[in-house]
Amino acid sequence: MIGPSTNSTDRHVVIIGNGISGVTCARNIRKKDFQTRITIISGETAHFFSRTALMYIYMGHMKYEHTKPYEDWFWEKNRIELKQAWVDRVDFEEKNLIFSDKSQMQYDVLVLATGSKPNKYGWKGQELNGVQGLYSMQDLELMEKNTHEIQKAVVVGGGLIGIEMAEMLMSRDIPVTFLVREKNFWDNILPVEESKLINRHILEHHIDLRLETELEEIIDDGNGKVKAVKTKSGEVISCEFVGLTVGVSPNIDFLNKGNESNSEKPTLELSRGILIDAYFKTNIPDVYAIGDCAEFKNAPAPDRKSIEQVWYTGRMHGETLAHNLTSRKSVSYKPGIWFNSAKFLDIEYQTYGFVPANIGDNEDSFYWEASNGKACLRLFFSKSDQKLLGINAFGWRLRHEYFDKAISKGYSLEKVISEIDKANFNPEFYKPFHEEVLKKYNMEFGKTLKLQKQSFFKKLIGSRA
Amino acid sequence: MNIILRIGLILFVLGLAIFSVLPFIGSYQLEQEMVENEVKDIHLDAMVEVLRPMYGQYYESNFAFISDFNENFDNYNEKLKANEDWDKVIWDDYAYPLTKAASTGPVSQNPYFYLAITVCLGVLGGLMYIFPLHRNEPEGIKNDGIYFSSMKARGLLGIITGTWLIVFYIILYWFPAYLTNLILMVDPLSIALSGNPASQWFLYGFIYTLAIVVMGIRMFRKYKGNAYQTIRTASVMFFQLAFAFLLPEILVLLNMPWHDFKNIWPLDYSFFYDYRIDGMLSSGALGMFMLVWGIILIVLGVPIFTYFYGKRWYCSWVCGCGGLAETLGDPYRQLSDKSLKSWQIERYMIHGVLVFAVLMTAVTIANYFSGFAILGNATDQLHSVYGFLIGSAFAGVIGTGFYPLMGNRVWCRFGCPLAAYLGLVQRFKSRFRITTNGGQCISCGNCSTYCEMGIDVRWYAQRGQNIVRSSCVGCGVCSAVCPRGVLKLENADEEGRINEMPIIIGNKSITVKS
Ligand SMILES: Cc1cc2nc3c(=O)[nH]c(=O)nc-3n(C[C@H](O)[C@H](O)[C@H](O)COP(=O)(O)OP(=O)(O)OC[C@H]3O[C@@H](n4cnc5c(N)ncnc54)[C@H](O)[C@@H]3O)c2cc1C
Ligand code: SF4
Ligand code: SF4
């Protein structure tokens, strides 16, 4: 495909959204193209901050300014214009943005990187005071207000943001009841052993975890404030705060505003998200979408979703689109081996490749768990040729580089097991797990793999294998 | 708050409060024989005369005593200066030894009691506060509420603490006479260790060591489960206690020069001063060993160890300044400035101090070998300027007093010439680096926030680049606080250590060089 040339002089690229995808796109355009005028618009904050760090602000680990990945001078130096305002609607025909204060801005190229918004499933009482989701800085400020001097909170939804919210509340000594619809925490993503490991850890933190418990309604105290929640089984749990963390969906509501009634005007093709092809193109020329808000018409890879809602994918979308906007030759989005990570209270989680929650007939997995029940490893492989397909690790940091290679090159299970110390990324002096893993493997597979002893000198100088 | 914890806090504050007012109690009476005992022979006649008006007088407080002393003493010196009678002017500080000798207060009669209700009470309170910390909590990062804390986030308590430290250091360095009571209190301990009565430096070393030990125990609690932090903290506690505190005093007991075997020039800036060299040369085989060992550390120890392990082998495992920063200073590590601007200032300052130290030492050595012929004056001038500006004001007053204001490594980052030397080796010839784990960084900022050296770790991590910075002391806290397992301190092959144009793993569409 042929895109605009690198030396396009006076075009104006406008990016709505100063999250990781929009910002990465802007930075990478600027790296390759000195001319283009670039503007980033966001209503949320004046500068880019790390959304993933919201919890740490609430917990007092950091302040807002620490979550900004670039110092404030960075933008001017790179001639990236910032505008803090809410876009009210877009006139795609006139290539014009209309802001909530009625001011306007022309664009030549529009990049939509508007992120997500928290889901709400129409529960009774979901609009009460003290009930909220957590996505934006404004949500965080609201949470600060809503949880001021309260005695009891309920968090609904056993996902990544739910457990973060529970941890946040616990850091302020607010007792939390955590309602999880599934049988075990996050078990639509994690195999049951991993889920149970996290269940135990949640309880260890004195969080009142209620598995297989669904929200029925949120009860009003008579003054428009939450008083309690009622579960599907009829239990009433009194609380002054309800965190709704049942997933997020693309933030796209404003995009066709004002265009619906006028059939003359072009409208943006939307489904759950903004529909795009593999080049991030929407149905309207010069309008692109990246990050959480975008929905691929065809999922980028068989094991990928059509909406990618994580930090790393936002970054890769931004990089790739920036390339396409600055090169003659466009490339389609081809993500490599999947990876992700999270932290459940004190237990870190990393995953590389693909590990399903339920293992099918053609694959199998090897699972090891540390004796204290706080670290584990699952290697997922295909039965026919024993090739590694994915790995889950809890309480054990592993090298991304190693597994990117191991999975893409199809290392055998045995190779990985025998050299997994090469991939160990835990800090120095941590207890090595390799021997235990080998023991378990030998037992299960009737093998006699032995630990390769490091020479004393190598140990002394800490040389990596 | 746990009840023991609360009592501990009260006891600590009480101990600190008594410690702070103790210098103001007691009475003073000077006699002629005290002057005869304390004053050098060349000044004896003059001083006995100068201080004659004070003999037998009873002073209610050290302020009254010291001010009277200064008046008499300055009168004498001023007159000589006015007459340009330079040879007779007395430059020595006699205020401190004479105040100490003249003290008749309760502290000299009952030093153990006063030691118990100040330092021991403080230590006891501190330990009672520390031991219950994080009890029954799972292992993990304990940074909750740091930015809501008045003490740890430059609030009023932090400012008060900083001010207290700054005032304490100023008095310690330049007006030790006012600390007489505190020094008297540790006299018996000093005599037991080295056979000599305590000086202000003994008092300082004693408190310093206690601070490292007590706050080191706090580190064990805070970083429970993190083996790197635990071992490293145990190491600085050991080196401070054994090498910086006990061993030098024992050497003095054995009639050897006071010597700290782990201190390295140019941090130990007086290592090549003539009195130190003469002291070592006149102390037989052990003295010779001190000299040779010191030089080996400079020319071989630093480059070799830093090549294999990075500067951390010294800065966060051995050094006394680092030891205090990593223990007493740990609650303040997040206060270091991470801006690019401060990095620029840092590079000018620290290398400036290194150049100053090297020049001063070069002049000193040249002076030594020229038989003090030509450079005597310049040497003295340089020593006093360096000692005042760098050795005392920077390393002490600012270095520690600014913990609660600018973080715990102000000296190590902006001033320490040894850190500059170690840093040059680390930057250009070392196997140490902090490896970034592929594309896992979420730019959260925990690493940068908790880097005591003000390194913007995230800047590197989020672009998939290894961190190879001369200032990194390898404390390992960035790695500890990272919620995504992105950072690993490690020693490995030099190849691939510095990746200037990193490619973040994960995107197969294009290769983006950050
Ligand atoms: C609490 C929390 C924790 C998370 N933790 C992780 C994690 O650990 N790992 C991970 O991979 N992912 C995590 N995520 C998800 C990740 O943060 C998102 O996938 C990512 O931030 C999406 O980036 P984006 O650039 O697509 O959009 P966003 O970061 O959402 O940026 C979109 C911006 O556009 C602005 N905007 C939208 N509409 C308008 C308008 N009309 N006018 C003006 N401005 C507008 C929004 O205000 C917002 O600032 C987390 C998310 C949350 C909420
Ligand atoms: S970069 Fe990390 S290891 Fe180095 S000084 Fe900073 S926090 Fe410590
Ligand atoms: S703490 Fe870890 S995830 Fe956060 S910015 Fe630093 S390296 Fe990245």
Side-chain angles (χ1 to χ4, degrees), chain B residues 333 432 434 447 450-455 457 467 471-479 489:
Chain B
R333 57 170 50 253
F432 171 72
I434 303 177
C447 52
Y450 287 91
C451 175
E452 54 190 355
M453 295 305 285
I455 298 172
V457 183
I467 294 106
S471 62
C472 170
V473 292
C475 66
V477 170
C478 53
S479 159
L489 284 69

Side-chain angles (χ1 to χ4, degrees), chain A residues 119-292:
Chain A
N119 288 338
K120 288 188 173 180
Y121 288 120
W123 284 296
K124 191 172 167 214
Q126 69 181 18
E127 303 303 335
L128 292 172
N129 284 334
V131 181
Q132 67 166 109
L134 175 65
Y135 188 83
S136 65
M137 190 58 79
Q138 283 75 25
D139 291 338
L140 188 75
E141 282 157 11
L142 184 65
M143 183 168 168
E144 186 70 49
K145 255 198 237 132
N146 279 341
T147 57
H148 187 65
E149 292 188 344
I150 64 167
Q151 304 301 319
K152 181 79 221 279
V154 169
V155 174
V156 182
L160 296 176
I161 301 182
I163 196 166
E164 284 189 3
M165 214 175 197
E167 183 179 359
M168 290 160 75
L169 292 158
M170 292 302 289
S171 80
R172 303 264 184 111
D173 291 326
I174 300 169
V176 178
T177 298
F178 189 17
L179 308 187
V180 173
R181 189 183 56 184
E182 291 75 23
K183 252 191 158 130
N184 292 294
F185 176 78
W186 216 34
D187 70 2
N188 49 340
I189 305 287
L190 297 178
V192 63
E193 286 86 357
E194 285 94 313
S195 282
K196 287 199 162 151
L197 185 147
I198 299 301
N199 285 349
R200 292 193 304 265
H201 188 55
I202 294 173
L203 293 173
E204 189 186 9
H205 271 270
H206 310 294
I207 294 169
D208 175 20
L209 173 68
R210 306 287 183 89
L211 297 168
E212 295 182 273
T213 307
E214 272 189 75
L215 178 66
E216 170 74 27
E217 65 168 296
I218 302 166
I219 304 168
D220 192 340
D221 72 345
N223 297 315
K225 217 184 152 316
V226 52
K227 177 174 87 176
V229 297
K230 193 161 137 198
T231 67
K232 284 246 157 92
S233 62
E235 190 186 352
V236 173
I237 304 166
S238 58
C239 60
E240 298 143 277
F241 175 84
V242 178
L244 294 178
T245 58
V246 286
V248 295
S249 45
N251 175 22
I252 53 174
D253 295 342
F254 71 101
L255 285 166
N256 274 334
K257 209 169 140 191
N259 299 346
E260 303 96 331
S261 52
N262 191 339
S263 56
E264 307 280 279
K265 298 233 175 197
T267 53
L268 195 61
E269 239 177 69
L270 303 175
S271 174
R272 281 194 298 144
I274 305 164
L275 284 175
I276 51 165
D277 64 10
Y279 300 86
F280 305 99
K281 291 186 166 193
T282 67
N283 64 311
I284 300 176
D286 292 329
V287 179
Y288 302 83
I290 51 175
D292 275 27

Side-chain angles (χ1 to χ4, degrees), chain A residues 66, chain B residues 147 150-155 157-163 165-166 325 328-339 341-343 345-346 349 393-394 396-415 448-455:
Chain A
H66 300 114
Chain B
Y147 273 98
S150 171
M151 188 58 146
K152 298 174 194 168
R154 259 183 233 128
L157 281 181
I159 292 171
I160 292 174
T161 308
T163 313
L165 285 169
I166 289 169
L328 183 70
D330 178 74
Y332 306 111
R333 57 170 50 253
Q334 64 283 355
L335 300 176
S336 60
D337 191 335
K338 315 301 183 312
S339 66
K341 185 117 215 151
S342 65
W343 183 19
I345 296 173
E346 164 194 320
M349 287 187 70
F394 205 157
V397 180
I398 297 175
T400 309
F402 276 52
Y403 275 11
L405 309 174
M406 286 173 65
N408 53 335
R409 286 277 192 175
V410 178
W411 161 246
C412 313
R413 181 183 176 193
F414 294 99
S448 297
T449 305
Y450 287 91
C451 175
E452 54 190 355
M453 295 305 285
I455 298 172

Side-chain angles (χ1 to χ4, degrees), chain B residues 65 79 81 84 160-161 189 197 225 241 260 280 285 289 318 342 410 427 492:
Chain B
F65 179 84
K79 251 185 240 151
K81 284 181 194 168
E84 299 194 19
I160 292 174
T161 308
L189 194 68
L241 189 63
D260 176 354
M280 291 186 271
F289 174 71
V318 172
S342 65
V410 178
R427 175 69 184 76

Side-chain angles (χ1 to χ4, degrees), chain A residues 199-395:
Chain A
N199 285 349
R200 292 193 304 265
H201 188 55
I202 294 173
L203 293 173
E204 189 186 9
H205 271 270
H206 310 294
I207 294 169
D208 175 20
L209 173 68
R210 306 287 183 89
L211 297 168
E212 295 182 273
T213 307
E214 272 189 75
L215 178 66
E216 170 74 27
E217 65 168 296
I218 302 166
I219 304 168
D220 192 340
D221 72 345
N223 297 315
K225 217 184 152 316
V226 52
K227 177 174 87 176
V229 297
K230 193 161 137 198
T231 67
K232 284 246 157 92
S233 62
E235 190 186 352
V236 173
I237 304 166
S238 58
C239 60
E240 298 143 277
F241 175 84
V242 178
L244 294 178
T245 58
V246 286
V248 295
S249 45
N251 175 22
I252 53 174
D253 295 342
F254 71 101
L255 285 166
N256 274 334
K257 209 169 140 191
N259 299 346
E260 303 96 331
S261 52
N262 191 339
S263 56
E264 307 280 279
K265 298 233 175 197
T267 53
L268 195 61
E269 239 177 69
L270 303 175
S271 174
R272 281 194 298 144
I274 305 164
L275 284 175
I276 51 165
D277 64 10
Y279 300 86
F280 305 99
K281 291 186 166 193
T282 67
N283 64 311
I284 300 176
D286 292 329
V287 179
Y288 302 83
I290 51 175
D292 275 27
C293 67
E295 177 175 356
F296 291 97
K297 283 186 220 150
N298 303 305
D303 60 345
R304 295 259 176 167
K305 300 206 175 83
S306 58
I307 304 185
E308 297 190 311
Q309 293 163 318
V310 291
W311 185 263
Y312 318 104
T313 50
R315 196 188 67 219
M316 293 178 215
H317 293 181
E319 286 168 358
T320 315
L321 176 61
H323 172 88
N324 290 352
L325 291 176
T326 52
S327 318
R328 284 189 171 279
K329 193 150 168 19
S330 291
V331 296
S332 64
Y333 173 58
K334 282 199 225 72
I337 303 296
W338 170 258
F339 66 97
N340 199 5
S341 60
K343 190 172 182 183
F344 304 106
L345 303 157
D346 298 315
I347 297 184
E348 286 171 25
Y349 154 67
Q350 291 184 338
T351 188
Y352 300 103
F354 180 62
V355 183
N358 298 300
I359 289 163
D361 292 337
N362 299 327
E363 292 98 20
D364 204 349
S365 80
F366 166 78
Y367 180 78
W368 164 87
E369 190 172 296
S371 54
N372 67 1
K374 286 193 158 196
C376 74
L377 190 73
R378 180 184 301 276
L379 293 152
F380 179 63
F381 57 94
S382 77
K383 264 187 194 160
S384 55
D385 54 7
Q386 299 271 305
K387 276 186 181 163
L388 184 72
L389 300 170
I391 180 167
N392 276 347
F394 285 74

